Amino acid sequence: MRIAALLVALIVACHHAALAGDVAAAQSVIRAQEQAFVRDDATAAYSHAAPAIKEIFPAPDIFMSMVQNGYAPVYRHKSFEFGESKTDGGWIAQRVHIVDANGEAWEALYTLEQQGDGSYKITGCSLLKAGQAV
């Protein structure tokens, strides 16, 4: 009986470790894109976008223009801190707390999907002013 309980505990621990690794990988992708925005490196920022995003924005400069015009707090900010995350199979939703260049607070919800090669790519980002109703 003790062996069975130990085995179950080991399986649960391994599962949680795998999920934590996936979240860390997703956060690394988001952080890499955020740093590419800081450097105005459209090619690097675009490389973290999922194929569906690349279909909508077929070139790095088009993608970067969309971010600059529609996601100014993501593009330029004073702080960018990870909040809670949720996983569901090959999908991760990651909250990010942002303070924009003007000192206003925002909440971003990034979604990422695991690709065939095991990497994660950003499938979307929803942005709301902190405290604003959905």
Side-chain angles (χ1 to χ4, degrees):
M1 188 67 167
R2 286 184 186 173
I3 293 174
L6 183 59
L7 191 55
V8 168
L10 185 58
I11 290 169
V12 168
C14 288
H15 178 71
H16 286 297
L19 291 178
D22 288 344
V23 169
Q27 288 177 350
S28 179
V29 169
I30 295 167
R31 182 66 72 189
Q33 188 179 66
E34 178 255 345
Q35 289 299 302
F37 291 145
V38 168
R39 296 187 314 272
D40 283 318
D41 186 342
T43 301
Y46 189 69
S47 74
H48 301 293
I53 299 298
K54 290 180 176 181
E55 285 181 21
I56 299 167
F57 305 100
D61 59 329
I62 297 169
F63 174 75
M64 188 66 106
S65 178
M66 176 275 299
V67 172
Q68 290 168 337
N69 294 315
Y71 293 85
V74 171
Y75 177 65
R76 290 290 184 260
H77 51 270
K78 291 181 179 178
S79 71
F80 192 94
E81 301 297 327
F82 293 113
E84 75 175 47
S85 59
K86 294 190 185 217
T87 61
D88 184 14
W91 287 87
I92 294 178
Q94 175 66 59
R95 288 195 183 279
V96 179
H97 309 290
I98 299 171
V99 176
D100 70 15
N102 298 320
E104 303 228 21
W106 295 82
E107 288 287 326
L109 178 63
Y110 281 82
T111 54
L112 298 93
E113 180 181 27
Q114 193 168 31
Q115 305 301 295
D117 65 1
S119 68
Y120 281 91
K121 297 289 184 181
I122 298 169
T123 58
C125 178
S126 300
L127 191 60
L128 285 174
K129 269 198 164 181
Q132 184 178 3
V134 177

